[in-house]
Amino acid sequence: MKVCVDENPTNNPSRMNFFSSKSAAGRYATGRPYYHPIVIERIRKFLSLDEPLARALDVGCGTGFSTIALKEIAREIVGVDASAEMVALAEKDARIEYFVASAEKLPFAQDEFDLITVSQAFHWLNREKFLTEAARVLRAGGWLVVYDNYFSWQMESGAEFQTWYKESYLKKYPLPPRTWPAFTAEDSENEDFRLMGQEYYQNSINFSVETFVDYLVTQSNVIAQVEYGAEEIDEVRRWLIDSIKPLFGETREASFLFNSPVWFLQKTVSQYRLR
């Protein structure tokens, strides 16, 4: 694994990077679920891949979960993220090269990649600037796949959980502002891409009380209070464990529902080159 550092790594200069601190990166590396192979298989089927792509780029790679997953469909892989602390924790692999750089100023040549993926990061990016860069570094006919796996607020066997999540958790730790991804055929064509398809599915992830707390402390609303606010992480963990344990009842693990949209966009051949 090779790590290269850009001089000014920031995903979106107008917004705080909630994942830049060492402590937040460490929690992310241990607390986030590895669901990404589910999406990679959907990409394989949608693109009708009989053999791996030559070169793929994962933007907003974080600690490398979404990057490692690309090994199933690409020979050479590059991950890029604005947080040096996150990239430092990414799993080493001979086929993967990591860069610390802005998503809106990618340190790559024109027409370098066959595929770009963005996993759970598009809502932090400057849409216009990033899509311009994505079109620049993608080869003609290349693909941009944007996907998410966001928490639905639902415990599959616990009706009281949703009330706790909305009325206790989100009131104590409100969500920071973000722009949720959305693509239409008309908008995408104006942005050097054509929306070729979109999918929406749900998946369930099992957590114990402890692993669920590990997941919650990776969320940006908790990070905002811990890294940039007045609360200590141990205090947050204690409150979460005490609040969540009664919701699990006698069960050791509970299943939680996640919403998972996927957008498949293809670079239009002519628009970018005519500029």
Side-chain angles (χ1 to χ4, degrees):
M1 180 188 78
K2 180 181 178 183
V3 177
C4 302
V5 182
D6 186 33
E7 292 181 355
N8 184 27
T10 173
N11 267 354
N12 190 336
S14 66
R15 289 179 177 165
M16 183 180 296
N17 186 339
F18 293 101
F19 307 99
S20 62
S21 73
K22 186 174 183 178
S23 60
R27 298 199 302 275
Y28 197 100
T30 58
R32 286 277 167 150
Y34 185 56
Y35 68 91
H36 306 81
I38 300 172
V39 185
I40 296 303
E41 185 57 30
R42 288 175 177 269
I43 295 174
R44 184 205 302 275
K45 289 180 178 179
F46 189 89
L47 301 188
S48 301
L49 297 179
D50 295 323
E51 59 182 34
L53 297 166
R55 193 162 166 81
L57 171 65
D58 184 36
V59 173
C61 67
T63 56
F65 293 156
S66 51
T67 318
I68 289 290
L70 283 170
K71 289 175 62 179
E72 296 298 319
I73 58 171
R75 297 189 183 91
E76 296 181 5
I77 304 153
V78 178
V80 62
D81 198 277
S83 170
E85 297 290 356
M86 295 278 275
V87 170
L89 296 177
E91 181 180 337
K92 296 179 175 61
D93 190 282
R95 288 166 54 192
I96 298 176
E97 186 176 13
Y98 288 99
F99 287 78
V100 179
S102 166
E104 293 88 355
K105 190 178 180 183
L106 296 170
F108 310 115
Q110 183 174 326
D111 303 333
E112 191 170 334
F113 298 98
D114 302 291
L115 169 69
I116 295 175
T117 55
V118 185
S119 168
Q120 294 185 274
F122 193 88
H123 50 276
W124 299 121
L125 307 183
N126 180 305
R127 177 179 177 126
E128 181 180 358
K129 291 181 179 179
F130 166 66
L131 290 177
T132 297
E133 279 291 84
R136 181 181 66 82
V137 302
L138 272 174
R139 293 168 183 155
W143 291 88
L144 169 63
V145 180
V146 178
Y147 64 97
D148 213 321
N149 198 62
Y150 59 89
F151 191 35
S152 72
W153 307 353
Q154 296 180 53
M155 175 192 283
E156 291 191 349
S157 60
E160 295 179 356
F161 175 82
Q162 192 171 41
T163 300
W164 171 83
Y165 190 80
K166 290 181 177 180
E167 297 184 4
S168 296
Y169 178 71
L170 288 181
K171 285 185 178 179
K172 187 173 177 64
Y173 303 110
L175 291 173
R178 68 198 68 199
T179 303
W180 293 105
F183 300 92
T184 66
E186 182 179 2
D187 289 342
S188 300
E189 289 190 13
N190 293 332
E191 297 168 328
D192 302 313
F193 291 95
R194 179 173 291 113
L195 180 65
M196 303 300 292
Q198 59 187 86
E199 298 179 5
Y200 176 85
Y201 69 99
Q202 293 182 308
N203 67 98
S204 297
I205 300 175
N206 290 336
F207 293 98
S208 66
V209 172
E210 292 75 16
T211 58
F212 187 58
V213 170
D214 287 343
Y215 166 68
L216 290 178
V217 297
T218 70
Q219 294 190 323
S220 57
N221 44 341
V222 172
I223 292 173
Q225 294 298 319
V226 173
E227 268 70 28
Y228 305 102
E231 291 198 54
E232 298 291 334
I233 187 61
D234 290 341
E235 177 186 351
V236 174
R237 284 186 182 276
R238 282 193 298 270
W239 181 83
L240 287 171
I241 289 174
D242 291 344
S243 300
I244 290 169
K245 267 187 176 180
L247 301 173
F248 273 65
E250 299 299 320
T251 60
R252 185 177 180 277
E253 288 191 345
S255 183
F256 293 85
L257 198 61
F258 285 74
N259 298 317
S260 307
V262 187
W263 292 273
F264 299 91
L265 301 106
Q266 189 171 32
K267 176 182 172 180
T268 52
V269 177
S270 60
Q271 286 187 9
Y272 183 81
R273 295 182 180 278
L274 291 175
R275 288 185 175 179

